[in-house]
């Protein structure tokens, strides 16, 4: 089985930035679970039905996912958020496994904001967590998405804290600035390749 490396980190930590470096420097295939989840919600009628019965008919307007309505509910209701993630997770997992079969690489990276929260970390061989100071993350997201601090803070509250993520991670990338990010991913890439080789020998 090809090795799966999970890549996660809180909102604004720089997951996508780091994932792009693995792709550009080492041609590692990247599966972006958050984007795929949105595609699957748009495509799968059975999933749409399940979401409607959890959150209400308004979750879709003219067949389109009503993200504002959904966010309004789930980011103030942890139970609903978890239930929604549990509905989506099996679809993403199946899609990921299919995608992985078509990749030709020593390992693939699965990037997800909710790698731990969804339980999907259990299917990864190794895990990379990207961290950055909370204030810096909030500042980045305000700049990138033009959304207000309150909304970002609400989302952060629903994510696991870094301490708990780090405990279950193989590698941690401190992404407080862009300095040495190339060195950091080079080191991690080499270690992953070594571990893959060691496992192949055993
Ligand atoms: P989300 O969970 O919201 O998708 P993310 O963890 O994938 O976020 P990115 O989109 O990679 O984070 O980065 C968030 C923003 O911060 C982007 O605009 C990115 O260009 C910027 N950024 C990433 N890394 C750094 C860094 N080391 N220093 C300054 N800005 C950074």
């Amino acid at each position: 089985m090809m090795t799966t490396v999970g890549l996660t980190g809180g909102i604004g930590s720089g997951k996508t930035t780091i994932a792009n470096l693995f792709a550009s420097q080492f041609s590692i295939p990247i599966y972006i679970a958050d984007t795929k989840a949105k595609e699957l919600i748009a495509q799968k009628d059975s999933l749409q039905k399940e979401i409607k019965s959890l959150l209400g008919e308004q979750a879709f307007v003219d067949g389109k996912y009503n993200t504002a309505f959904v966010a309004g509910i789930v980011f103030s209701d942890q139970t609903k958020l978890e239930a929604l993630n549990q509905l989506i997770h099996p679809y993403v997992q199946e899609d990921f496994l299919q995608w992985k079969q078509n990749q030709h690489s020593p390992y693939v990276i699965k990037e997800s904001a909710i790698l731990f929260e969804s339980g999907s970390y259990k299917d990864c061989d190794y895990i990379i967590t990207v961290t950055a100071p909370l204030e810096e993350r909030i500042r980045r997201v305000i700049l990138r998405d033009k959304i207000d601090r309150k909304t970002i803070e609400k989302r952060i509250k629903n994510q696991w804290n870094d301490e708990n993520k780090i405990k279950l991670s193989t590698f941690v990338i401190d992404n407080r600035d862009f300095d040495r990010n190339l060195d950091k991913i080079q080191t991690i890439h080499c270690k992953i390749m070594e571990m893959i080789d060691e496992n192949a020998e055993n």
Side-chain angles (χ1 to χ4, degrees), residues 112-162:
S112 171
I114 54 167
L115 194 79
F116 290 108
E117 293 83 345
S118 66
S120 138
Y121 74 97
K122 292 175 192 150
D123 303 316
C124 298
D125 299 289
Y126 308 113
I127 295 167
I128 304 172
T129 292
V130 181
T131 63
L134 195 62
E135 272 310 310
E136 168 69 13
R137 287 165 47 199
I138 294 173
R139 199 184 61 80
R140 289 176 192 170
V141 178
I142 290 175
L143 270 175
R144 187 193 58 188
D145 299 341
K146 315 275 179 288
I147 53 175
D148 62 290
R149 164 179 281 269
K150 273 253 142 54
T151 308
I152 302 166
E153 282 174 347
K154 254 188 181 174
R155 290 182 189 186
I156 288 176
K157 250 190 163 165
N158 285 306
Q159 299 185 331
W160 280 30
N161 65 32
D162 281 351

Side-chain angles (χ1 to χ4, degrees), residues 10-17 111 136 140 144 175 177-178:
I11 180 169
S13 58
K15 292 177 291 299
T16 305
T17 307
E111 182 202 321
E136 168 69 13
R140 289 176 192 170
R144 187 193 58 188
N175 180 40
D177 48 45
F178 288 116

Side-chain angles (χ1 to χ4, degrees), residues 38-99:
K38 287 191 190 110
E39 284 174 25
L40 291 164
I41 292 168
Q43 288 163 7
K44 304 272 180 188
D45 289 342
S46 52
L47 178 55
Q48 294 192 2
K49 264 200 192 138
E50 292 171 58
I51 294 176
K52 280 184 202 163
S53 49
L54 177 71
L55 303 175
E57 290 292 320
Q58 285 159 279
F60 293 84
V61 174
D62 299 328
K64 266 190 137 177
Y65 196 42
N66 186 354
T67 43
F69 172 80
V70 172
I73 299 179
V74 299
F75 289 119
S76 331
D77 184 339
Q78 176 100 30
T79 313
K80 285 258 163 72
L81 176 63
E82 279 168 18
L84 178 65
N85 287 340
Q86 289 318 312
L87 287 185
I88 301 170
H89 177 61
Y91 288 85
V92 176
Q93 187 57 7
E94 189 196 327
D95 183 70
F96 169 71
L97 291 175
Q98 264 179 25
W99 170 86

